[in-house]
Amino acid sequence: MFSWLGTDDRRKKEPEMFQTVSDGLKKLYKTKLHPLEENYKFHEFHSPALEDADFDNKPMILLVGQYSTGKTSFIRYLLEQDFPGMRIGPEPTTDCFIAVMHDDTEGVIPGNALVVDPKKPFRKLNAFGNAFLNRFVCAQLPNPVLESISVIDTPGILSGEKQRISREEAVSGYSCLHRCLFGGYDFAAVLEWFAERVDRIILLFDAHKLDISDEFSEVIRALKNHEDKIRVVLNKADQIETQQLMRVYGALMWSLGKIVNTPEVIRVYIGSFWSHPLLIPDNRKLFEAEEQDLFKDIQSLPRNAALRKLNDLIKRARLAKVHAYIISSLKKEMPAVFGKENKKKELINSLEDIYIRIQREHHISPGDFPNLKKMQGMLQSQDLTKFQPLKSKLLEAVDDMLANDIASLMVLVRQEETQKPNPVVKGGAFDGTISGPFNHGYGEGAGEGIDEADWVVARDKPAYDEIFYTLSPVNGKVTGANAKREMVKSKLPNTVLGKVWKLADIDKDGMLDDEEFALANHLIKVKLEGHELPSELPAHLVPPSKRKIAE
């Protein structure tokens, strides 16, 4: 059946050659991983089969949060324009999943039409039925930001009596999260589907009313195994005073620490992501710095998209292997004729012991195994006698892919990165602070005095000159040893002072004249005030007498 598997030893040793990373991922999945998934019903238990559009689509950002945290406003802020179907208000206004994507003409595509489009990566969402598809749309518009990324807006998560009742009245299952139906469809399962395929997951919180509902906590837990994609935005931070903001930030980190079980501290960006005036402008510089950090993270997505898809394929392959071991073990234990139902119940109840046995036999990390309760719940509706026994050739093909083909794809990823210009997200809010006086840090630190006709260092040069002439200059210059004795008084590390010296010694003669010495002290001051040193000396900091040398 699987003729491609063959026993050609030479093929196993030599990885396949691919033209592009995307083509390589598609071919590896179709020829080596998909047969394993198909044979052991992976798609029924974990995730639908991948299609070409999953490998070709632009990077996607998934926005998740409770209602009125500013998810839709955040998208509006990035795009700097309205998008079709957009509604903003203090009440729960977004009741649909909205995929905001690029197109030359503006319009809305309803969910049922969207999932039959082979060019869109949403075809497998039809498994969630009309209840979901009636609440899923694609908003298309010609926007430069969307030429590089797509954004998924989600319904605001509620809390309170309505959800408690829906949990109690919903169908039975393996956890309260998956029993809870959001408008007739499994909200958490849809989020999990998107989480597997997006490049970034942004959790939004409202700084003015910080509370993480039980439902939101369950949703965050559903994003387990995708923690590397998660970023947190503490939005509307301009509505509270600095002291309150500090306490809110601490409370949020404490709450997240209980929900997101990772050893690393999750990154939280603080700001006010809409175009309204700041209510309390005291923390304006903090908000600007946080916004720039978040924008840099988003702008890096196109550059890292291929690596992310490669990483997700590896994670999927590891899970598929473990799933194959579990299914084949259950098949092996099932009787051929009598006592099937009793044996099935016994195997499901002892699934944890089966997990432990597989871990020991195949040296697999416990973290690679699927959720125990979820697996037990899904096995209830399966006929274990129809499961397939272990087929070593299928597993060997996946092992060969992980050991050899993935390595060649990694090399190809680096080659594509060097051959192509760095793709970054452009347009909208990303262009607002790229250049000009409102660029982050403009006129501060090493940028101070950039617009002034006079040399900015000259302001403090008289004070620096007094120190300079105490260092026994010879022919108008002090030696490196004498300059070092003064510079180390700043208590900055030698690595930093070495960079200061490199920037200040413009004529590269190993000594400093009075202007170079003043420049060195100015750069030390910049660093002590908390700013970063430039990699190259800006033109406005070059001493007037050295500007011809610098040219």
Side-chain angles (χ1 to χ4, degrees):
M1 179 179 177
F2 302 110
S3 59
W4 52 269
L5 279 172
T7 56
D8 185 355
D9 294 333
R10 184 175 58 83
R11 182 180 174 182
K12 290 182 181 179
K13 293 177 182 177
E14 296 179 5
E16 296 194 45
M17 302 301 294
F18 308 108
Q19 296 298 318
T20 66
V21 175
S22 179
D23 290 341
L25 290 171
K26 285 186 277 190
K27 186 174 182 181
L28 288 178
Y29 176 72
K30 290 176 182 177
T31 60
K32 296 193 175 182
L33 181 54
H34 184 264
L36 180 74
E37 294 180 353
E38 191 76 19
N39 194 67
Y40 295 104
K41 298 186 175 182
F42 179 87
H43 308 136
E44 296 181 27
F45 284 85
H46 303 289
S47 176
L50 299 177
E51 296 188 335
D52 287 353
D54 292 308
F55 298 103
D56 295 333
N57 67 293
K58 299 171 186 174
M60 292 193 292
I61 299 173
L62 178 68
L63 297 181
V64 183
Q66 297 176 161
Y67 77 93
S68 193
T69 53
K71 297 187 299 298
T72 306
S73 296
F74 182 85
I75 300 174
R76 171 68 177 78
Y77 183 72
L78 293 184
L79 303 183
E80 290 189 341
Q81 74 175 95
D82 295 345
F83 57 87
M86 185 187 81
R87 292 173 58 210
I88 296 175
E91 76 282 4
T93 51
T94 303
D95 62 350
C96 297
F97 280 79
I98 304 177
V100 187
M101 308 182 79
H102 183 271
D103 195 81
D104 293 334
T105 58
E106 187 171 313
V108 174
I109 303 176
N112 280 289
L114 190 60
V115 295
V116 297
D117 186 351
K119 295 182 180 180
K120 296 285 194 300
F122 306 123
R123 284 164 57 91
K124 295 299 182 179
L125 282 169
N126 59 10
F128 295 101
N130 280 329
F132 166 72
L133 296 179
N134 291 335
R135 290 178 171 83
F136 178 45
V137 298
C138 177
Q140 295 184 321
L141 67 158
N143 185 282
V145 174
L146 300 176
E147 292 179 4
S148 304
I149 59 172
S150 300
V151 187
I152 311 297
D153 194 9
T154 63
I157 299 168
L158 304 174
S159 61
E161 188 70 11
K162 181 179 179 181
Q163 283 183 306
R164 185 188 66 79
I165 293 173
S166 69
R167 284 199 299 270
E168 292 173 352
E169 294 180 349
V171 296
S172 61
Y174 56 84
S175 73
C176 68
L177 171 62
H178 288 266
R179 289 200 304 270
C180 178
L181 300 180
F182 191 102
Y185 64 90
D186 193 335
F187 179 70
V190 174
L191 281 182
E192 286 185 65
W193 188 94
F194 276 109
E196 288 181 10
R197 289 158 175 81
V198 300
D199 297 73
R200 188 68 74 236
I201 303 169
I202 297 181
L203 305 179
L204 276 95
F205 292 87
D206 187 337
H208 195 58
K209 49 178 183 180
L210 184 66
D211 63 325
I212 303 179
S213 67
D214 292 341
E215 210 63 50
F216 194 19
S217 298
E218 292 286 354
V219 166
I220 295 173
R221 291 190 182 99
L223 302 176
K224 185 181 179 182
N225 299 325
H226 303 288
E227 291 89 353
D228 57 318
K229 300 179 181 180
I230 295 177
R231 303 291 185 271
V232 174
V233 170
L234 183 58
N235 200 14
K236 304 182 182 180
D238 65 314
Q239 298 181 10
I240 54 178
E241 301 283 352
T242 302
Q243 188 176 17
Q244 290 176 305
L245 180 59
M246 179 181 68
R247 291 173 177 168
V248 166
Y249 177 81
L252 176 60
M253 295 299 292
W254 179 78
S255 299
L256 288 172
K258 294 196 301 179
I259 301 170
V260 183
N261 296 318
T262 57
E264 302 84 10
V265 177
I266 197 165
R267 179 65 164 97
V268 177
Y269 299 90
I270 304 171
S272 183
F273 295 91
W274 62 354
S275 56
H276 294 258
L278 299 177
L279 292 180
I280 302 174
D282 297 356
N283 297 306
R284 183 188 188 99
K285 293 184 72 173
L286 170 65
F287 298 159
E288 289 176 355
E290 291 287 281
E291 180 183 278
Q292 289 300 310
D293 285 352
L294 178 59
F295 281 7
K296 287 177 182 177
D297 184 71
I298 294 174
Q299 286 180 305
S300 71
L301 295 181
R303 184 174 64 251
N304 300 325
L307 198 57
R308 192 276 302 171
K309 290 170 184 173
L310 183 63
N311 183 61
D312 284 354
L313 186 69
I314 295 171
K315 287 198 295 186
R316 187 181 180 100
R318 291 167 68 91
L319 178 59
K321 281 184 59 181
V322 171
H323 178 77
Y325 286 129
I326 296 170
I327 295 300
S328 59
S329 294
L330 293 172
K331 169 67 175 178
K332 187 177 181 181
E333 296 291 332
M334 285 297 291
V337 183
F338 301 109
K340 294 179 182 179
E341 283 302 315
N342 289 335
K343 188 62 176 179
K344 174 181 175 180
K345 292 179 182 178
E346 179 188 330
L347 289 173
I348 292 174
N349 292 332
S350 61
L351 188 61
E352 185 175 5
D353 295 332
I354 296 174
Y355 275 19
I356 294 172
R357 187 176 73 246
I358 294 173
Q359 289 173 26
R360 291 173 179 170
E361 288 179 5
H362 302 283
H363 308 288
I364 300 172
S365 168
D368 288 346
F369 281 75
N371 180 275
L372 179 65
K373 291 183 179 179
K374 175 180 176 181
M375 197 68 179
Q376 288 174 323
M378 300 190 78
L379 286 169
Q380 298 287 350
S381 59
Q382 295 285 333
D383 184 353
L384 273 58
T385 60
K386 293 184 179 179
F387 285 173
Q388 295 295 319
L390 195 65
K391 295 183 179 179
S392 58
K393 287 186 178 181
L394 292 174
L395 289 165
E396 287 171 5
V398 175
D399 287 335
D400 180 53
M401 179 188 80
L402 294 173
N404 301 309
D405 299 315
I406 293 297
S408 65
L409 273 183
M410 283 293 296
V411 174
L412 193 56
V413 167
R414 300 306 177 198
Q415 289 177 353
E416 287 188 358
E417 287 179 352
T418 55
Q419 291 172 0
K420 296 179 181 179
N422 283 339
V424 295
V425 183
K426 297 180 180 179
F430 297 97
D431 288 349
T433 58
I434 287 180
S435 59
F438 294 97
N439 181 26
H440 177 62
Y442 187 91
E444 301 173 2
E448 183 184 0
I450 191 171
D451 293 328
E452 298 178 16
D454 297 330
W455 188 40
V456 66
V457 182
R459 297 176 189 170
D460 300 316
K461 190 172 183 296
Y464 299 144
D465 284 346
E466 290 183 13
I467 302 172
F468 177 81
Y469 289 111
T470 65
L471 300 176
S472 306
V474 178
N475 296 326
K477 295 187 175 185
V478 295
T479 62
N482 288 342
K484 178 182 177 181
R485 282 198 296 271
E486 180 62 31
M487 292 169 68
V488 295
K489 293 179 181 179
S490 66
K491 300 181 181 179
L492 289 172
N494 284 347
T495 53
V496 175
L497 293 176
K499 186 173 183 179
V500 168
W501 179 274
K502 185 177 179 181
L503 292 170
D505 185 14
I506 295 171
D507 53 16
K508 309 302 178 188
D509 62 353
M511 296 186 289
L512 301 180
D513 62 19
D514 60 319
E515 288 184 333
E516 291 173 327
F517 182 78
L519 174 60
N521 280 275
H522 178 79
L523 293 172
I524 288 172
K525 177 185 172 185
V526 165
K527 187 62 180 177
L528 291 175
E529 289 176 348
H531 303 285
E532 292 300 318
L533 294 175
S535 55
E536 295 182 3
L537 190 66
H540 71 281
L541 288 184
V542 177
S545 65
K546 300 290 193 303
R547 288 179 182 173
K548 288 185 178 180
I549 297 175
E551 291 175 1

